[in-house]
Amino acid sequence: MNNLQDTLNPLNKKTAPIQGNYVGLKYPIKVLQIGEGNFLRGFCDWMIHQCNKKGYFQGSIAVTQPRPSGKEKIDKLKEQDGLYTLLTRGVENGDRVTSSEVISVFSQVINPYEEWNTFLQLAANPTLEFVISNTTEAGLNYQPTLLEEGVPIQSFPGKLTLFLYHRYLHFSGNTEKGLTMLPCELLERNGDILKECVLRYSKEWELPETFIKWLKEHNLFLNSLVDRIVTGFPKGEADSLFKEWGYKDSLLNTAEPYHFWAIEGNSELDHRLPFKKSGLNVHWVEDLSPYQTRKVRILNGAHTLMALRGILSGMETVKEFMENSNFSHFLHEVIKKEVIPSTQGDFNENIVYAEEVFERFTNPFIHHRLADISLNSLSKFKHRLLPTLKSYVDLNGALPLGIVQAFGALIRFYKTEKLKGIWTGEDFNGYPYILKDEEYVLEFYREQWLQYQENQISLLQLVENVLGNKDFWDENLNRIEDLSNLVHKYLAEILKVQ
């Protein structure tokens, strides 16, 4: 980018290719966004931009960062007049697709750690309706905090509590001036968690009971589930893209075409936030749990299946796994014949979702490393695949053989040793890979494999010891009829592969 800095102007309102094409910045502020990162800019902000393009929303966003470390992006947004480019590319209906557009939704950019009063003054904005957030899972929690005049509050729920209190005071408790909170953090019941934190701060700070009543009765904290891969700034391609577009954009963002947002709320809310009306894959639902279960068991379950089998076979990426016809066929069979029949929700909808997942896995623009997916594989197996195994047994009185094979792969994956403080395993070709998990998990597996190799226990005993570890599974899995025998059978077959 160094050479281009001398020849190309940065993106802003004056940039020739987009002059006048930023109507969203002129709309009244309807959304406060806590989070300046790649995900929200490639997901919610893009959606609101689409709604504005169709004339359905006619609102803009005031954006602020949840942590002091977000200052760099906030400063860049100010420099670029709130504008940035989103490059969308991937596979859609079997075809490669690529598109780019300048997103113009940020009409105000605030650094709350330098502009605390400006942030709080936004609470008096009569057109404000929504609060959207993505502060990571760690950001959505309660931290004891002193309330001091003029001092920025560090935690997101704490900031929101004081913001809502200022709004309550300014509008004298007007019942029509409550806000709708849409947290996008990847936690189940994220809206409920946020509301609980806000109420806790309200009581800790001894805020009036009339405010707490207004908070409970006239503000909405909606649970939601988001799904889109947003990969951020494409370093290796930025120069050529900037040359093609005629400007440079330090906030250039990239995302896959697929997007999905399920929000637990009344569908009438789409009149105020017209995502579905604008043709976006957003669903207002009565119960979020079937969508959460579907994502965990199908998308996340497939990831864990691929990571275990792929790494042991010397593969590096999801795309590489999917390009192997044998492995891809195995994954399709397990998902369609074992996972989906054991997962709540509409069967046909789940099949369609699975096909979308498989297509997303083949995206040539995403380098999704199996090593990244394999982090804490034991816990992931417990939450993503074990529930399917148990549901399948309950429904069919038999074991799902593909997932049982994956159980064998899991145990082989944790055949590990510690070298210079790093836990490593060895794939079928004799090449090392790194394991990252809780220390007690890795120590347990090392001890089990060591005992097996020294003929102190049999392979079946090793399997039974793993299945019987209640610290891992919260129960003794040996109680599931024939599970230990089948896992032993597949593990023995895996060991012969080497």
Side-chain angles (χ1 to χ4, degrees):
M1 201 193 307
N2 292 336
N3 294 333
L4 288 175
Q5 287 179 350
D6 300 326
T7 58
L8 296 178
N9 292 320
L11 174 64
N12 55 43
K13 290 180 182 178
K14 297 178 181 178
T15 304
I18 57 97
Q19 276 184 4
N21 189 25
Y22 42 84
V23 65
L25 304 188
K26 300 176 183 177
Y27 286 137
I29 294 173
K30 290 187 179 181
V31 179
L32 166 62
Q33 179 171 306
I34 313 290
E36 80 297 346
N38 294 331
F39 179 76
L40 287 185
R41 289 189 296 111
F43 188 72
C44 305
D45 302 330
W46 168 79
M47 289 187 182
I48 288 173
H49 183 73
Q50 305 312 310
C51 294
N52 279 340
K53 281 166 60 178
K54 297 193 175 183
Y56 294 147
F57 187 59
Q58 297 185 357
S60 67
I61 299 172
V63 62
T64 183
Q65 86 269 32
R67 299 178 185 83
S69 59
K71 172 179 167 57
E72 182 180 359
K73 279 187 179 175
I74 286 292
D75 287 347
K76 287 179 179 177
L77 275 172
K78 288 184 177 183
E79 291 169 8
Q80 296 189 181
D81 296 326
L83 302 172
Y84 66 95
T85 313
L86 182 67
L87 176 63
T88 305
R89 54 190 185 175
V91 180
E92 201 167 36
N93 299 321
D95 298 322
R96 285 196 184 192
V97 294
T98 300
S99 65
S100 65
E101 63 180 325
V102 174
I103 307 299
S104 58
V105 291
F106 296 140
S107 62
Q108 189 173 9
V109 183
I110 305 169
N111 183 337
Y113 302 97
E114 298 175 356
E115 304 166 289
W116 184 235
N117 288 334
T118 303
F119 170 72
L120 292 178
Q121 286 166 8
L122 184 64
N125 189 315
T127 62
L128 188 65
E129 296 184 55
F130 303 95
V131 177
I132 292 174
S133 68
N134 185 27
T135 61
T136 76
E137 295 90 319
L140 202 61
N141 64 6
Y142 171 83
Q143 303 167 7
T145 303
L146 289 175
L147 183 58
E148 300 179 75
E149 184 71 27
V151 178
I153 294 170
Q154 296 294 315
S155 82
F156 158 53
K159 284 188 189 73
L160 180 62
T161 304
L162 190 60
F163 186 90
L164 289 169
Y165 184 53
H166 274 248
R167 188 169 181 82
Y168 165 81
L169 291 174
H170 180 81
F171 291 106
S172 303
N174 187 327
T175 59
E176 295 183 359
K177 292 302 178 182
L179 300 178
T180 298
M181 269 52 73
L182 287 163
C184 296
E185 289 82 1
L186 295 177
L187 289 170
E188 285 192 30
R189 315 303 299 173
N190 45 21
D192 294 343
I193 293 171
L194 179 57
K195 184 176 183 179
E196 182 182 338
C197 289
V198 169
L199 289 172
R200 191 170 176 183
Y201 279 115
S202 300
K203 292 176 181 177
E204 177 188 320
W205 295 337
E206 299 180 345
L207 300 179
E209 285 297 325
T210 50
F211 164 68
I212 295 175
K213 184 174 185 292
W214 175 84
L215 191 65
K216 290 179 178 178
E217 296 180 1
H218 304 294
N219 294 266
L220 295 175
F221 293 79
L222 303 182
N223 298 305
S224 77
L225 174 70
V226 298
D227 190 4
R228 192 180 210 186
I229 297 173
V230 179
T231 50
F233 190 88
K235 291 182 181 179
E237 305 163 81
D239 279 358
S240 60
L241 291 169
F242 296 163
K243 185 176 180 180
E244 176 186 344
W245 297 336
Y247 63 85
K248 59 186 178 184
D249 180 358
S250 59
L251 291 170
L252 169 60
N253 199 10
T254 53
E256 66 173 336
Y258 180 86
H259 63 279
F260 175 84
W261 196 358
I263 306 170
E264 201 171 75
N266 195 309
S267 59
E268 292 182 0
L269 287 166
D270 202 65
H271 295 299
R272 294 171 50 209
L273 197 55
F275 291 141
K276 198 156 186 70
K277 184 179 178 181
S278 300
L280 299 166
N281 191 19
V282 177
H283 301 264
W284 303 92
V285 300
E286 292 183 5
D287 181 11
L288 204 58
S289 57
Y291 297 91
Q292 289 170 326
T293 300
R294 180 179 76 177
K295 180 174 184 286
V296 169
R297 294 202 186 184
I298 297 176
L299 172 63
N300 301 134
H303 271 153
T304 297
L305 282 166
M306 287 190 289
L308 296 171
R309 191 160 178 147
I311 290 173
L312 287 173
S313 300
M315 295 181 174
E316 291 188 10
T317 67
V318 167
K319 181 174 176 288
E320 187 179 354
F321 186 100
M322 295 301 292
E323 288 174 345
N324 183 299
S325 59
N326 291 332
F327 284 12
S328 178
H329 177 74
F330 167 78
L331 184 68
H332 278 74
E333 289 290 294
V334 173
I335 296 299
K336 290 186 174 180
K337 294 184 178 179
E338 298 180 6
V339 176
I340 290 176
S342 310
T343 301
Q344 68 180 117
D346 184 274
F347 179 84
N348 291 326
E349 286 184 8
N350 287 347
I351 286 289
V352 171
Y353 177 74
E355 291 295 345
E356 291 171 336
V357 165
F358 295 144
E359 186 170 71
R360 294 168 71 190
F361 287 166
T362 63
N363 190 335
F365 302 103
I366 295 178
H367 188 77
H368 201 168
R369 297 175 66 246
L370 296 174
D372 294 335
I373 298 171
S374 73
L375 177 67
N376 297 319
S377 282
L378 186 135
S379 175
K380 288 176 177 175
F381 192 99
K382 173 185 175 181
H383 292 102
R384 298 174 174 186
L385 294 174
L386 184 58
T388 295
L389 185 149
K390 292 162 71 175
S391 296
Y392 189 96
V393 171
D394 290 341
L395 289 169
N396 300 286
L399 288 162
L401 300 185
I403 294 178
V404 174
Q405 287 184 49
F407 218 141
L410 176 76
I411 296 174
R412 169 58 183 81
F413 181 75
Y414 279 88
K415 185 180 179 184
T416 181
E417 59 181 321
K418 195 173 187 180
L419 299 171
K420 297 181 179 180
I422 298 175
W423 290 92
T424 62
E426 195 174 88
D427 69 21
F428 297 151
N429 301 311
Y431 294 104
Y433 55 85
I434 295 175
L435 289 95
K436 294 183 179 180
D437 209 317
E438 300 287 348
E439 195 77 9
Y440 80 93
V441 171
L442 298 166
E443 290 282 7
F444 173 85
Y445 272 107
R446 177 172 66 173
E447 179 63 25
Q448 293 299 310
W449 278 108
L450 189 61
Q451 290 183 40
Y452 167 71
Q453 289 165 335
E454 294 179 352
N455 296 317
Q456 295 177 17
I457 60 173
S458 67
L459 190 63
L460 178 59
Q461 287 174 309
L462 186 156
V463 169
E464 290 174 343
N465 290 344
V466 171
L467 297 181
N469 191 323
K470 293 183 180 180
D471 290 336
F472 290 176
W473 319 112
D474 299 325
E475 61 180 309
N476 185 346
L477 297 180
N478 288 302
R479 68 171 185 78
I480 300 176
E481 185 177 356
D482 212 30
L483 179 60
S484 58
N485 290 328
L486 263 182
V487 172
H488 168 253
K489 173 189 172 185
Y490 287 123
L491 179 57
E493 289 177 1
I494 289 172
L495 294 175
K496 287 179 183 177
V497 167
Q498 301 171 83

